[in-house]
Amino acid sequence: MTADPQDGVADLVRRARHGRAPIREQHAAFTMLVERFEGMAFATALKASADVEAARDACQEAFLLAWRALPDLRESAAFGGWLKRLVRTQCA
């Protein structure tokens, strides 16, 4: 049985944006989010740009924006869809 990528996403988002947690714990939680969603993000970017390097750049920018705007995400479990939208915006 394969783990659903959405399992624990809300918890990881909460841990990544927990203002009182040590920064290394916030970074560790966000790193886990990146690892979970990097494949989806790259596939989305590659479909939108059809250029490997441009897709990589778009993903990097989208994850950076996600890290910075994480406190603004209203629904923690919606991280995947939100990230996909950020990736598409970076490709536009």
Side-chain angles (χ1 to χ4, degrees):
M1 186 169 145
T2 323
D4 183 343
Q6 294 302 320
D7 288 348
V9 169
D11 181 56
L12 287 172
V13 170
R14 281 191 292 274
R15 288 172 38 206
R17 65 182 177 187
H18 188 279
R20 294 186 184 138
I23 194 70
R24 72 180 180 287
E25 289 178 17
Q26 292 175 28
H27 285 175
F30 192 76
T31 296
M32 292 173 80
L33 287 166
V34 170
E35 290 169 354
R36 262 187 206 204
F37 289 98
E38 64 188 347
M40 176 277 296
F42 184 69
T44 300
L46 195 55
K47 185 176 179 181
S49 70
D51 177 88
V52 173
E53 289 306 313
R56 286 185 183 136
D57 289 345
C59 288
Q60 185 174 9
E61 287 299 317
F63 278 114
L64 181 59
L65 285 171
W67 170 252
R68 290 179 176 161
L70 200 56
D72 300 330
L73 179 61
R74 287 186 208 142
E75 181 58 47
S76 298
F79 180 84
W82 180 63
L83 178 66
K84 187 179 268 193
R85 200 166 53 248
L86 291 174
V87 169
R88 287 182 181 145
T89 299
Q90 291 305 306
C91 291

